[in-house]
Amino acid sequence: MTRTAKIIHLAALTVAATIYVALTTQAVAQSQRNCGPREAVVERLASGYGETRQSVGIGSNNAMVEVFASDQTGSWTILVTMPTGVTCLVASGQSFEEVAEALPAKGNDA
């Protein structure tokens, strides 16, 4: 993976962590529907959607943030696993693409 791709994945993980923090303020009942043991969640993504882990990072509160996606179907899922071992789905969608965009030149804020 190129340096640029790593930076893009890190940006996606940062956004996912931000989304996670925002979602943790919602009712506990809703978050429990989207959470479960990590092994079961990962198995469901693999068997049901053909998704594999594309990137990983550590977010706020030492939470592990992971992006899973399928190269064949384009589906993607962002998971957050808390230090307690509980894994929660925070976002999912379609049309996943791996991109490698160059960083803007220094001094160019466009």
Side-chain angles (χ1 to χ4, degrees), residues 1-11 99-103:
M1 183 180 301
T2 67
R3 184 175 190 275
T4 303
K6 288 180 183 179
I7 291 170
I8 291 168
H9 283 175
L10 180 59
V99 296
E101 296 175 349
L103 291 172

Side-chain angles (χ1 to χ4, degrees), residues 16-95:
T18 302
I19 291 169
Y20 173 74
V21 170
L23 291 177
T24 58
T25 61
Q26 292 182 0
V28 173
Q30 182 173 345
S31 67
Q32 288 177 346
R33 289 185 291 187
N34 297 325
C35 301
R38 184 177 184 285
E39 289 180 15
V41 174
V42 171
E43 170 58 30
R44 176 71 176 134
L45 293 177
S47 64
Y49 302 95
E51 294 182 10
T52 59
R53 187 165 64 177
Q54 303 294 313
S55 59
V56 63
I58 301 296
S60 62
N61 300 328
N62 292 321
M64 181 172 60
V65 181
E66 300 170 286
V67 176
F68 284 75
S70 169
D71 292 334
Q72 295 181 347
T73 67
S75 69
W76 57 267
T77 305
I78 299 175
L79 301 179
V80 174
T81 302
M82 299 304 295
T84 60
V86 174
T87 296
C88 297
L89 181 146
V90 295
S92 63
Q94 295 296 318
S95 302

